[in-house]
Amino acid sequence: MKTVDVYWSFRSPYSYLATKRLRAMPGTWDVRVRPRPVYPIAIRTPEFFSEIRPQWVPYLLKDVVRLAQFLDLPFGRLDPDPVVMNMQTRQISPDQPHIHRLTRLGILACEAGDAEGWAFMDEVSTLIWSGGAWTVGTALAEAAARAGFDLAELDRREQAETARLDAVIAENQAAQDPHHWGVPLMVFEDEAFFGQDRLDVLEWRLGQSGVARRDA
């Protein structure tokens, strides 16, 4: 079976907006869609946001809201942002209590299986990007449970296996780097497709490459 590698981040709104379609893709095509969580660009390249043009962030915010409406997906203000960042100065805090944990948990979920990983990433990213107070009470535990996971057990393993999980994240990042810096990034037969707006082109390429449709 051929494979599509998907480099994906919990802090990327475009990753969130592509998740349900990526999760469903193996039901449409005879292809493995392998989730490979990575850290967001704010963590990998902290100077990125201080160097971009001032129009970039306002456009991004308008675009993701518009796209969520187009896709009929919930979208709300981050509460809190998975990356601790001063939005006025665009400085990334050295103290990051959320994104490392989330990404490591994502790796653990993906190691249980592709479908399990997508379920976890879908439920958690929907909670985060729909404006849910995801660090309050049992919200995150309930999202994990909807995906079939015990958050307490995942957290226990995340603490016990931090070094190993960080190595897996670094391996994913090293595999992504030759192709593109952004997420979501889909790579099929060494050809990269960047962004949720390239999913149609990816599916066209799957068909061109002889991947069978399951719903044919």
Side-chain angles (χ1 to χ4, degrees):
M1 180 181 292
K2 295 184 178 182
T3 297
V4 177
D5 282 317
V6 182
Y7 303 95
W8 187 100
S9 163
F10 283 99
R11 208 276 181 117
S12 162
Y14 292 116
S15 287
Y16 156 61
L17 293 170
T19 297
K20 291 188 185 301
R21 187 166 169 185
L22 288 164
R23 182 181 179 184
M25 197 173 289
T28 305
W29 296 91
D30 186 23
V31 68
R32 180 186 183 188
V33 182
R34 178 187 180 191
R36 302 187 69 174
V38 295
Y39 287 130
I41 198 165
I43 300 301
R44 292 183 280 118
T45 312
E47 66 275 12
F48 175 83
F49 285 94
S50 63
E51 295 176 351
I52 57 175
R53 294 191 177 193
Q55 303 97 321
W56 194 86
V57 170
Y59 176 82
L60 171 73
L61 296 176
K62 291 178 182 178
D63 187 51
V64 293
V65 171
R66 173 178 60 199
L67 183 58
Q69 293 170 345
F70 175 75
L71 296 171
D72 195 25
L73 292 174
F75 199 89
R77 185 180 182 87
L78 293 172
D79 184 20
D81 191 327
V83 171
V84 181
M85 174 182 176
N86 185 318
M87 294 304 294
Q88 281 68 48
T89 65
R90 301 184 184 177
Q91 295 300 304
I92 309 299
S93 172
D95 182 23
Q96 296 292 336
H98 305 307
I99 193 61
H100 294 97
R101 175 195 180 201
L102 285 172
T103 309
R104 291 173 190 142
L105 294 179
I107 294 293
L108 287 170
C110 291
E111 289 178 343
D114 295 341
E116 291 83 354
W118 281 118
F120 182 84
M121 289 155 56
D122 188 7
E123 292 291 349
V124 172
S125 65
T126 299
L127 171 64
I128 292 171
W129 285 101
S130 61
W134 62 275
T135 60
V136 174
T138 60
L140 188 58
E142 291 171 9
R146 288 193 294 271
F149 290 94
D150 180 335
L151 181 63
E153 174 60 16
L154 287 179
D155 275 331
R156 183 195 66 77
R157 290 188 58 195
E158 186 264 333
Q159 289 295 309
E161 302 176 41
T162 294
R164 183 187 71 81
L165 295 170
D166 283 347
V168 175
I169 295 167
E171 179 182 335
N172 287 349
Q173 188 59 62
Q176 177 187 356
D177 282 343
H179 300 284
H180 197 282
W181 58 91
V183 292
L185 181 72
M186 290 69 67
V187 178
F188 174 68
E189 296 188 332
D190 209 37
E191 182 178 7
F193 301 80
F194 167 58
Q196 61 78 34
D197 54 345
R198 289 296 178 268
L199 292 178
D200 285 339
V201 182
L202 169 61
E203 293 197 68
W204 167 76
R205 180 64 84 205
L206 293 178
Q208 268 205 335
S209 299
V211 176
R213 288 188 69 99
R214 296 184 187 275
D215 57 355

